[in-house]
Amino acid sequence: MKIEYLKSTIVKKAFVNAANKLDENKETVNSLNVFPVPDGDTGTNMSLTMQSAVKHIRNNSNDSIESIASAASSGSLMGARGNSGVILSQLLRGFSKGLQGKEVIDVETLANSFKLASETAYKAVMKPIEGTILTVAREVAEKAQELVGTEDDIQSFLEKVIEQGEDALRRTPDMLDVLKQAGVVDAGGKGLIYILKGGLEAITGKEIVISDEDFKKEEIKIHQKATEDGEIKFGYCTEFIINKTEYQPEEFRNYISKYGDSMLVVGSEGVIKVHIHTNNPGEVLEEALKIGELIDIKIDNMRFQHRNQHIEDNDLTQLDKKDNKKYSFITISMGKGIENVFKDLNADFIISGGQTMNPSTEDILSAIDKVTGENIIILPNNSNIILAANQAKELSERNIEVLSTKTIPQGISALLAFDEELELEDNLENMKDAITNIITGQITYAVRDTSINNKEIKKDDIIGITNGDIKAVGSSINEVTLELLKESVDEDNDIITLFYGEDVEEKDANELAEKLQEEFEDLDVETIYGGQPLYYYLISIE
């Protein structure tokens, strides 16, 4: 049946289903990371950005098309995470402009909205790069414009538009050599295709049902009850979805009841959504794997969160009592040790985040509201957080500077160069100079087989990265670290600092430092507990 117009009820379903489609496939998008390191987060960032858009849509009492689109735009703007999430929020912002004043949507309206989406996103990026989500969005818009006047069936129109987008996605490796070397297509572009397909499926009546509002409301009640006494019997809040299963929710609920309490188990059409508080999340997940595949796994340590909430509340109370001061610093980092380093360097607010967990624009705005400085300097410490930090800066009325630190060592170096007595411009200049004098090394492991820069990498290999280039590959953490440093250290360097991660013992870090001191006898070698996940060592060379 031909679909010539879309009304507001279908538009709302299209946004929700687009978010669900992406969420269902976010791990596929994550796996398209160019480097084979365990921090692919494009799919997660885009999914969380879309979920924020949907949250705003659901909380909006006005169900007009214009209001739905505006809610999607503002929600994605506030919830944007990572560069891909920020670009997605700009796509939705432009798309919503095309729906202003519309009571129904036809092909021409959609085509104009796609065009505005692409234009808005391109303008938001200082140096647009082809072979990315921007290319896919542009070719989708161009195809949409081409179809105006020749196509009046929205289903057929969207199918042809998506086909063009998929063709553009297939060609992204021909536009970006790093994609071709890694053997992947652009992750952001892939995420956009899932969003478009999800919207189309809702329009044709093929909605994905993986969550509902009643589940969320009951979940909130459970958490309130679990923490009201200040004592938590089962410490890990474990959530996941069992996909493609023939089991009924009641069967699985009975089966896992022995592992914990506060259970919610709901489902329909081969999908079961599970929430349980347990002390053994791994055992619960193993039981779930027996009956289907798992998606959207989330495990939170409630005891840790409960303790930190009390600490944060106390800290904020003290913060409110402080007089306004000239400077405040907001930094982003992961790992208790690294957080302590930033605290020692007088950072006012530390947002927990980084690789695999990029804070949203709203998270950064919230931090801005909690510091008192006349001048606020944000240190993202990750290239994938800089756009969100700049977006927060634009939305705030405070005097904010975003220093484009791309690594933890750069952020630490910038703070060490700060002088309270200097004026803002002088401080920024000194901090930027300090950043340029830092070489950052990272030691982690490969999550897949690949070939990059003539280096053959196998899954689980140890890899050493310096300033974005893979310098060393091997089977030993210590040997790869030594090889990386031999490639990176020069006669101008004086200090090597090893920030060892949560998977490294202190004695092992000290033994490595001794070996490095023998190799680089003219340099000082230091070890500091970082506690960061995923990366065995973060290395500062200065």
Side-chain angles (χ1 to χ4, degrees):
M1 184 179 71
K2 180 188 284 190
I3 303 172
E4 294 187 38
Y5 301 100
L6 301 178
K7 295 183 178 180
S8 62
T9 52
I10 297 298
V11 173
K12 187 173 184 178
K13 286 182 179 180
F15 274 112
V16 172
N17 206 61
N20 286 346
K21 182 76 171 180
L22 177 59
D23 190 67
E24 186 181 54
N25 293 280
K26 66 186 176 187
E27 291 306 327
T28 298
V29 178
N30 284 340
S31 70
L32 297 174
N33 198 16
V34 171
F35 276 2
V37 294
D39 59 8
D41 51 13
T42 298
T44 300
N45 285 336
M46 292 181 73
S47 178
L48 290 171
T49 302
M50 281 297 295
Q51 293 296 338
S52 181
V54 168
K55 179 181 176 182
H56 279 239
I57 290 171
R58 284 174 166 158
N59 290 340
N60 184 32
S61 57
N62 187 336
D63 276 345
S64 69
I65 287 176
E66 181 174 344
S67 183
I68 291 168
S70 295
S73 174
S74 60
S76 64
L77 190 71
M78 296 300 287
R81 296 173 188 264
N83 295 341
S84 58
V86 172
I87 293 172
L88 176 57
S89 73
Q90 294 300 315
L91 288 170
L92 289 173
R93 180 183 176 194
F95 190 81
S96 72
K97 290 178 184 177
L99 302 184
Q100 291 179 4
K102 302 295 182 181
E103 294 184 6
V104 294
I105 297 174
D106 58 11
V107 162
E108 186 174 355
T109 299
L110 280 174
N112 185 48
S113 297
F114 282 134
K115 182 172 182 282
L116 289 171
S118 175
E119 291 174 349
T120 303
Y122 265 89
K123 289 176 184 177
V125 179
M126 187 173 295
K127 296 180 179 179
I129 298 174
E130 296 303 326
T132 66
I133 184 175
L134 293 172
T135 302
V136 177
R138 176 176 54 76
E139 293 206 18
V140 161
E142 290 170 352
K143 184 64 176 181
Q145 291 291 309
E146 178 187 317
L147 292 171
V148 174
T150 64
E151 184 66 75
D152 59 0
D153 179 5
I154 289 177
Q155 178 178 345
S156 176
F157 167 80
L158 288 175
E159 286 172 349
K160 292 174 182 176
V161 162
I162 292 170
E163 184 180 355
Q164 180 63 42
E166 290 181 312
D167 181 60
L169 180 66
R170 281 191 293 271
R171 289 184 278 108
T172 54
D174 297 329
M175 305 177 210
L176 273 180
D177 188 55
V178 290
L179 295 176
K180 181 173 286 187
Q181 285 192 51
V184 297
V185 295
D186 178 66
K190 184 72 170 178
L192 181 58
I193 294 298
Y194 281 127
I195 289 170
L196 294 173
K197 286 184 173 180
L200 174 59
E201 287 172 4
I203 291 168
T204 57
K206 300 175 183 176
E207 293 178 75
I208 303 168
V209 182
I210 61 172
S211 62
D212 56 66
E213 288 303 295
D214 289 337
F215 186 95
K216 285 294 178 188
K217 290 175 184 176
E218 289 301 317
E219 190 180 7
I220 291 169
K221 291 178 185 176
I222 283 173
H223 279 269
Q224 290 173 340
K225 186 176 187 301
T227 58
E228 64 187 1
D229 296 327
E231 181 178 350
I232 301 173
K233 183 178 179 182
F234 295 98
Y236 293 94
C237 173
T238 305
E239 300 174 53
F240 54 90
I241 294 167
I242 307 173
N243 198 28
K244 298 177 182 176
T245 180
E246 296 179 359
Y247 274 65
Q248 294 301 312
E250 294 79 12
E251 292 177 79
F252 190 70
R253 185 188 301 116
N254 293 334
Y255 203 67
I256 64 170
S257 60
K258 61 185 176 183
Y259 292 110
D261 64 8
S262 303
M263 282 185 297
L264 279 174
V265 184
V266 299
S268 64
E269 299 179 354
V271 176
I272 300 176
K273 183 161 187 179
V274 180
H275 171 286
I276 183 173
H277 292 176
T278 178
N279 286 327
N280 299 288
E283 293 180 358
V284 176
L285 294 175
E286 283 181 14
E287 296 297 344
L289 279 169
K290 294 176 182 177
I291 67 168
E293 66 178 20
L294 303 187
I295 59 176
D296 206 16
I297 300 170
K298 181 172 177 282
I299 302 172
D300 290 325
N301 185 331
M302 295 191 298
R303 294 188 183 100
F304 177 81
Q305 290 177 334
H306 191 56
R307 289 195 303 268
N308 278 14
Q309 184 61 51
H310 286 299
I311 293 170
E312 182 177 319
D313 290 344
N314 290 335
D315 286 347
L316 293 181
T317 301
Q318 294 172 5
L319 187 62
D320 290 339
K321 294 177 181 177
K322 291 182 180 179
D323 294 331
N324 286 353
K325 54 183 184 175
K326 189 172 181 180
Y327 295 104
S328 284
F329 288 96
I330 296 171
T331 73
I332 294 96
S333 72
M334 290 185 73
K336 193 64 180 176
I338 291 172
E339 288 183 8
N340 288 336
V341 172
F342 279 122
K343 286 177 183 177
D344 290 342
L345 293 173
N346 297 316
D348 296 78
F349 197 97
I350 299 169
I351 302 172
S352 181
Q355 302 298 80
T356 75
M357 195 174 72
N358 299 151
S360 68
T361 301
E362 189 170 20
D363 291 334
I364 299 172
L365 281 170
S366 177
I368 290 169
D369 289 340
K370 292 171 183 172
V371 298
T372 60
E374 176 188 343
N375 302 292
I376 300 170
I377 299 175
I378 301 175
L379 305 174
N381 303 329
N382 186 303
S383 60
N384 207 30
I385 301 174
I386 294 172
L387 280 183
N390 279 314
Q391 191 154 272
K393 172 185 175 179
E394 292 176 9
L395 293 171
S396 176
E397 296 180 356
R398 306 279 295 277
N399 185 31
I400 298 169
E401 296 289 340
V402 177
L403 204 61
S404 297
T405 51
K406 296 179 180 180
T407 66
I408 294 296
Q410 285 185 356
I412 292 171
S413 178
L415 281 177
L416 286 169
F418 173 75
D419 186 341
E420 181 78 32
E421 301 302 317
L422 296 179
E423 294 301 315
L424 177 62
E425 291 304 318
D426 293 329
N427 263 316
L428 290 174
E429 184 176 345
N430 290 344
M431 294 168 84
K432 289 175 182 176
D433 286 343
I435 291 170
T436 62
N437 293 325
I438 290 292
I439 299 171
T440 298
Q442 300 168 311
I443 307 297
T444 185
Y445 59 92
V447 295
R448 69 170 189 273
D449 295 353
T450 190
S451 176
I452 296 179
N453 294 334
N454 297 319
K455 286 184 169 61
E456 292 298 323
I457 301 170
K458 300 297 181 183
K459 185 178 182 295
D460 298 324
D461 276 352
I462 306 300
I463 53 179
I465 304 168
T466 300
N467 291 347
D469 291 328
I470 295 178
K471 297 288 189 179
V473 180
S475 58
S476 164
I477 294 174
N478 287 4
E479 289 177 6
V480 169
T481 303
L482 179 59
E483 184 181 345
L484 177 139
L485 288 169
K486 285 181 177 179
E487 288 279 337
S488 306
V489 170
D490 60 34
E491 67 273 6
D492 295 327
N493 299 132
D494 300 310
I495 302 172
I496 297 172
T497 305
L498 303 174
F499 296 90
Y500 61 94
E502 64 180 6
D503 295 323
V504 177
E505 297 291 335
E506 182 179 6
K507 64 179 182 61
D508 294 331
N510 289 334
E511 287 175 6
L512 173 59
E514 290 176 8
K515 293 178 181 178
L516 294 178
Q517 190 65 77
E518 293 173 5
E519 180 70 29
F520 304 99
E521 55 186 22
D522 294 332
L523 279 72
D524 292 329
V525 180
E526 302 176 348
T527 61
I528 297 175
Y529 171 64
Q532 70 275 2
L534 305 179
Y535 287 79
Y536 301 114
Y537 292 101
L538 295 178
I539 306 171
S540 174
I541 308 168
E542 52 188 305

